[in-house]
Amino acid sequence: MSIDLPLVLGGLVVGFIVGLTGMGGGALMTPMLIFVFRVDPLVAVSSDVVASLFMKPAGAIVHLRRGTVHLRLVLWLCIGSVPAAFSGALLIQALPFGDSLDAALKTVLGVALLIASGGLVVRAVLQMVRSRSALGEGPARPSAPEELVVRPVPTVILGAVAGLLVGMTSVGAGSVVIVVLLLLYPALKASQLVGTDLVQAVPLVAAASLGHLLYGDFSLGLTTSLLIGAIPGAWFGAHVSARAPGGIIRRALAILLLASALKLLGASLPVVLGAAGAALVVGNLVWFWVKRRFSAAPQQPVADSSPDPAESSTRT
């Protein structure tokens, strides 16, 4: 078994993004393996899922130590995601596509990436509106874990959908979960969103990995090379995200996912480049509009925190 240095570097970049944003693992790793390294789609999905099993804990441990994880949310998500993830790994093997399995898998993966890209856009807009900042990463409303009212039924359904996506395509653990969590629980801090997502992804990916190890096309050499870069990348990215999650990286990631999805769905290179360029232009126009809107909004007067002279003289 030989170590492939380009794969190590690719794993390092993807691992850092996963630790930083809580998303982008399968959404970046699998297309990278298919398009850059020319790996068979089924091998790419199986190897990526198994790699995530070791990459995710590196970031999850950092957030657990910093207390940025909502454990009750993790529990309800796992009730839905663990059985669904194992089932997804079996389902992708049982699909009756025969020789056209690769093409079918690319189509499923392309649709999943489109959903992930759209979810990132929704999250960016919600963050801009919530924080009243064009950067989308303003201070979140503080909320202690015990104050959050958990909604079990929609949380379990979310876990099941994400688990099925991960089992079939390796996409969804972060790209889908973290966006819907933001919609369901807007009071969560950004660091809690990332931390909760990373921790719930560990048992989810473990179930999907078991299915792919038993029935998939897992490659030990490819996965080992990815992990050598991905584990330290996720660890370092999680340390950064626990202090300041990267909103701008998520928006760049959305454009990259859009381009990857269109390529997987069979779009020509000019169409892919044109769509990515249009998304970049429209995204910047929206960003400037939001920036002007919030800059023009009347600022609340800031109370002077210095002591009143009269009151000070009275106390003395």
Side-chain angles (χ1 to χ4, degrees), residues 2-11 37 225 228:
S2 60
I3 302 301
D4 191 327
L5 182 57
L7 278 173
V8 173
L9 295 177
F37 297 100
S225 296
I228 291 175

PDB file of all heavy atoms in Angstrom, residues 2-11 37 225 228:
ATOM      1  N   SER A   2       0.737   2.090  -1.023  1.00  0.00           N
ATOM      2  CA  SER A   2       1.546   3.299  -1.143  1.00  0.00           C
ATOM      3  C   SER A   2       0.714   4.526  -0.791  1.00  0.00           C
ATOM      4  O   SER A   2      -0.507   4.535  -0.952  1.00  0.00           O
ATOM      5  CB  SER A   2       2.098   3.428  -2.567  1.00  0.00           C
ATOM      6  OG  SER A   2       1.034   3.498  -3.504  1.00  0.00           O
ATOM      7  N   ILE A   3       1.403   5.551  -0.304  1.00  0.00           N
ATOM      8  CA  ILE A   3       0.753   6.813   0.059  1.00  0.00           C
ATOM      9  C   ILE A   3       0.834   7.765  -1.132  1.00  0.00           C
ATOM     10  O   ILE A   3       1.907   7.985  -1.687  1.00  0.00           O
ATOM     11  CB  ILE A   3       1.412   7.444   1.297  1.00  0.00           C
ATOM     12  CG1 ILE A   3       1.353   6.450   2.476  1.00  0.00           C
ATOM     13  CG2 ILE A   3       0.738   8.751   1.658  1.00  0.00           C
ATOM     14  CD1 ILE A   3      -0.037   6.030   2.858  1.00  0.00           C
ATOM     15  N   ASP A   4      -0.328   8.323  -1.522  1.00  0.00           N
ATOM     16  CA  ASP A   4      -0.415   9.238  -2.654  1.00  0.00           C
ATOM     17  C   ASP A   4      -0.414  10.673  -2.117  1.00  0.00           C
ATOM     18  O   ASP A   4      -1.393  11.103  -1.481  1.00  0.00           O
ATOM     19  CB  ASP A   4      -1.693   8.956  -3.446  1.00  0.00           C
ATOM     20  CG  ASP A   4      -1.730   9.685  -4.777  1.00  0.00           C
ATOM     21  OD1 ASP A   4      -1.183  10.808  -4.850  1.00  0.00           O
ATOM     22  OD2 ASP A   4      -2.306   9.152  -5.737  1.00  0.00           O
ATOM     23  N   LEU A   5       0.680  11.422  -2.347  1.00  0.00           N
ATOM     24  CA  LEU A   5       0.810  12.773  -1.790  1.00  0.00           C
ATOM     25  C   LEU A   5      -0.304  13.714  -2.260  1.00  0.00           C
ATOM     26  O   LEU A   5      -0.857  14.470  -1.436  1.00  0.00           O
ATOM     27  CB  LEU A   5       2.181  13.359  -2.134  1.00  0.00           C
ATOM     28  CG  LEU A   5       2.474  14.759  -1.569  1.00  0.00           C
ATOM     29  CD1 LEU A   5       2.339  14.767  -0.050  1.00  0.00           C
ATOM     30  CD2 LEU A   5       3.849  15.238  -1.991  1.00  0.00           C
ATOM     31  N   PRO A   6      -0.692  13.735  -3.549  1.00  0.00           N
ATOM     32  CA  PRO A   6      -1.821  14.598  -3.948  1.00  0.00           C
ATOM     33  C   PRO A   6      -3.110  14.279  -3.197  1.00  0.00           C
ATOM     34  O   PRO A   6      -3.871  15.187  -2.836  1.00  0.00           O
ATOM     35  CB  PRO A   6      -1.961  14.319  -5.453  1.00  0.00           C
ATOM     36  CG  PRO A   6      -0.601  13.920  -5.883  1.00  0.00           C
ATOM     37  CD  PRO A   6      -0.037  13.137  -4.727  1.00  0.00           C
ATOM     38  N   LEU A   7      -3.363  13.001  -2.932  1.00  0.00           N
ATOM     39  CA  LEU A   7      -4.543  12.632  -2.147  1.00  0.00           C
ATOM     40  C   LEU A   7      -4.428  13.145  -0.716  1.00  0.00           C
ATOM     41  O   LEU A   7      -5.422  13.576  -0.114  1.00  0.00           O
ATOM     42  CB  LEU A   7      -4.720  11.120  -2.143  1.00  0.00           C
ATOM     43  CG  LEU A   7      -5.407  10.491  -3.356  1.00  0.00           C
ATOM     44  CD1 LEU A   7      -5.345   8.973  -3.277  1.00  0.00           C
ATOM     45  CD2 LEU A   7      -6.847  10.962  -3.480  1.00  0.00           C
ATOM     46  N   VAL A   8      -3.230  13.096  -0.153  1.00  0.00           N
ATOM     47  CA  VAL A   8      -3.007  13.618   1.197  1.00  0.00           C
ATOM     48  C   VAL A   8      -3.329  15.111   1.255  1.00  0.00           C
ATOM     49  O   VAL A   8      -4.016  15.586   2.171  1.00  0.00           O
ATOM     50  CB  VAL A   8      -1.553  13.369   1.651  1.00  0.00           C
ATOM     51  CG1 VAL A   8      -1.278  14.063   2.983  1.00  0.00           C
ATOM     52  CG2 VAL A   8      -1.280  11.877   1.781  1.00  0.00           C
ATOM     53  N   LEU A   9      -2.855  15.870   0.266  1.00  0.00           N
ATOM     54  CA  LEU A   9      -3.117  17.315   0.230  1.00  0.00           C
ATOM     55  C   LEU A   9      -4.605  17.593   0.025  1.00  0.00           C
ATOM     56  O   LEU A   9      -5.167  18.507   0.640  1.00  0.00           O
ATOM     57  CB  LEU A   9      -2.292  17.963  -0.890  1.00  0.00           C
ATOM     58  CG  LEU A   9      -0.766  17.908  -0.713  1.00  0.00           C
ATOM     59  CD1 LEU A   9      -0.064  18.514  -1.918  1.00  0.00           C
ATOM     60  CD2 LEU A   9      -0.350  18.629   0.565  1.00  0.00           C
ATOM     61  N   GLY A  10      -5.241  16.810  -0.846  1.00  0.00           N
ATOM     62  CA  GLY A  10      -6.683  16.974  -1.033  1.00  0.00           C
ATOM     63  C   GLY A  10      -7.450  16.698   0.241  1.00  0.00           C
ATOM     64  O   GLY A  10      -8.387  17.423   0.594  1.00  0.00           O
ATOM     65  N   GLY A  11      -7.059  15.648   0.975  1.00  0.00           N
ATOM     66  CA  GLY A  11      -7.704  15.350   2.254  1.00  0.00           C
ATOM     67  C   GLY A  11      -7.490  16.442   3.283  1.00  0.00           C
ATOM     68  O   GLY A  11      -8.385  16.754   4.071  1.00  0.00           O
ATOM     69  N   PHE A  37      -9.110  12.791  -9.428  1.00  0.00           N
ATOM     70  CA  PHE A  37      -8.300  11.579  -9.344  1.00  0.00           C
ATOM     71  C   PHE A  37      -8.856  10.419 -10.164  1.00  0.00           C
ATOM     72  O   PHE A  37      -8.315   9.315 -10.125  1.00  0.00           O
ATOM     73  CB  PHE A  37      -8.132  11.168  -7.874  1.00  0.00           C
ATOM     74  CG  PHE A  37      -7.405  12.184  -7.040  1.00  0.00           C
ATOM     75  CD1 PHE A  37      -8.100  13.064  -6.214  1.00  0.00           C
ATOM     76  CD2 PHE A  37      -6.021  12.293  -7.103  1.00  0.00           C
ATOM     77  CE1 PHE A  37      -7.427  14.008  -5.451  1.00  0.00           C
ATOM     78  CE2 PHE A  37      -5.349  13.227  -6.344  1.00  0.00           C
ATOM     79  CZ  PHE A  37      -6.048  14.098  -5.517  1.00  0.00           C
ATOM     80  N   SER A 225      -4.561   7.431   2.405  1.00  0.00           N
ATOM     81  CA  SER A 225      -3.945   8.669   1.925  1.00  0.00           C
ATOM     82  C   SER A 225      -4.806   9.874   2.267  1.00  0.00           C
ATOM     83  O   SER A 225      -4.294  10.920   2.695  1.00  0.00           O
ATOM     84  CB  SER A 225      -3.729   8.591   0.405  1.00  0.00           C
ATOM     85  OG  SER A 225      -2.813   7.574   0.067  1.00  0.00           O
ATOM     86  N   ILE A 228      -4.564  10.746   6.130  1.00  0.00           N
ATOM     87  CA  ILE A 228      -3.306  11.358   6.598  1.00  0.00           C
ATOM     88  C   ILE A 228      -3.413  12.882   6.537  1.00  0.00           C
ATOM     89  O   ILE A 228      -2.882  13.587   7.405  1.00  0.00           O
ATOM     90  CB  ILE A 228      -2.125  10.850   5.753  1.00  0.00           C
ATOM     91  CG1 ILE A 228      -1.870   9.369   6.052  1.00  0.00           C
ATOM     92  CG2 ILE A 228      -0.857  11.665   6.039  1.00  0.00           C
ATOM     93  CD1 ILE A 228      -0.808   8.738   5.173  1.00  0.00           C
TER      94      ILE A 228
END
